[in-house]
Amino acid sequence: MLLPMIVRRPIDPPRTLDIDVFAYSNDAMLPEQIASVRSFLKYAGRPNRFTIVSDGTHRPRAVSLLQQIDSCIELAEARDFLPQQPSSPDYFANHPTGKQLALIMTLPLERPALYLDADVLFFPGAVALADLLRNHDAPALYLRDCQVAGDERLLRDPAETADPVNTGVVFFFRKLDWSLAIERFQQLENAPKFFTNQTMTHLTMHANGARPLDPSKFVLQLDDQFQFADRYANNSIILRHYVNPVRHKFWEQIFS
């Protein structure tokens, strides 16, 4: 009920960022998506464009609310981001996580790009993003997961589980070679799983020499899920990805 009022509240981004931001979202995540976008604008700055890619479920009201947040907001459909040569058209076009992976595989487009899930909140420490964009030494930077959450069928050696990648936050500075992940995907005998896309991204990040983001500033943790307080949220971190087991803490931050 409050969303129409919330999206009209003015935001004065502290700086402009020479980056394109992309978020994959659905209608059920509308409140989280609005909060995530506003936190990015408030603490990180205004990107060249912030494209919210819909899985196809957004209703007209949701589209209207998202567009009211800021002039940099654009809405797009997942079907607009299909890989040029997908190995499994049905997976990329119809599976929820396949659509997400299709978007990730197309990035970056014209300039450096940041991919975000809808349940990522930014904090005052996001001021450091401007410096990170100027000083990086890798083709991509990824959010380090706190545990392995993947499709084990795509892995060939226990060593491949090291430094697990989470797809919730990824910076892209150049196009990556996805051939290894696609080759493994083509060898699957059964249907993709929920984490198949994350494992393909994990393989690609490591094959291309991507590096993890500082886990003390880019937070993904589950060890405080049964505590009332958010152990990691403070003014010095850049963001926290509030995955399902700690999603309730997302709203603790919004209403605190």
Side-chain angles (χ1 to χ4, degrees):
M1 292 174 60
L2 295 176
L3 290 180
M5 180 180 67
I6 291 172
V7 298
R8 289 194 295 268
R9 292 174 59 186
I11 305 173
D12 184 19
R15 64 195 62 82
T16 58
L17 297 173
D18 189 20
I19 192 172
D20 292 336
V21 182
F22 295 84
Y24 177 69
S25 188
N26 58 47
D27 194 78
M29 293 285 286
L30 178 64
E32 287 91 340
Q33 186 67 79
I34 290 174
S36 177
V37 174
R38 287 181 58 87
S39 70
F40 183 91
L41 294 172
K42 179 178 180 179
Y43 295 121
R46 179 181 285 117
N48 294 300
R49 57 177 176 169
F50 197 123
T51 304
I52 299 170
V53 180
S54 173
D55 68 347
T57 61
H58 283 92
R59 293 167 292 179
R61 173 180 178 271
V63 173
S64 175
L65 288 172
L66 290 167
Q67 291 175 328
Q68 292 178 55
I69 298 174
D70 190 82
S71 60
C72 70
I73 302 297
E74 299 179 0
L75 271 292
E77 295 289 337
R79 62 174 176 266
D80 298 330
F81 295 90
L82 291 176
Q84 292 183 350
Q85 294 180 328
S87 61
S88 177
D90 183 68
Y91 175 61
F92 290 107
N94 299 314
H95 193 282
T97 65
K99 294 178 184 179
Q100 179 199 31
L101 179 61
L103 168 60
I104 290 173
M105 290 176 67
T106 64
L107 301 178
L109 300 178
E110 302 170 3
R111 57 181 64 86
L114 167 60
Y115 170 80
L116 296 171
D117 278 356
D119 51 0
V120 174
L121 274 184
F122 289 81
F123 292 80
V127 64
L129 282 183
D131 185 60
L132 181 147
L133 295 176
R134 291 190 296 266
N135 300 284
H136 58 84
D137 58 355
L141 301 171
Y142 61 86
L143 180 65
R144 177 179 283 168
D145 213 328
C146 61
Q147 61 187 29
V148 177
D151 185 344
E152 68 284 350
R153 299 173 302 168
L154 295 171
L155 303 176
R156 300 292 179 266
D157 188 284
E160 290 186 334
T161 63
D163 294 322
V165 173
N166 182 272
T167 55
V169 179
V170 187
F171 287 89
F172 294 92
F173 299 108
R174 65 169 175 80
K175 290 285 188 181
L176 303 182
D177 180 359
W178 288 80
S179 58
L180 173 64
I182 293 298
E183 179 184 352
R184 299 277 181 92
F185 182 83
Q186 291 174 329
Q187 295 170 2
L188 289 180
E189 296 182 358
N190 297 309
K193 298 180 180 179
F194 180 81
F195 285 116
T196 299
N197 67 328
Q198 184 154 283
T199 311
M200 293 177 69
T201 305
H202 169 88
L203 289 169
T204 299
M205 289 293 136
H206 290 293
N208 285 265
R211 297 191 178 181
L213 295 159
D214 180 353
S216 68
K217 300 292 185 180
F218 296 82
V219 179
L220 196 168
Q221 291 291 342
L222 302 178
D223 56 3
D224 63 342
Q225 63 179 300
F226 300 116
Q227 299 176 0
F228 179 76
D230 189 326
R231 182 185 297 174
Y232 298 95
N234 60 68
N235 289 343
S236 68
I237 71 169
I238 292 175
L239 59 83
R240 183 171 184 181
H241 185 196
Y242 290 90
V243 291
N244 283 334
V246 293
R247 182 68 52 76
H248 57 288
K249 294 182 182 294
F250 182 104
W251 296 111
E252 290 173 14
Q253 291 304 315
I254 295 298
F255 293 112
S256 61

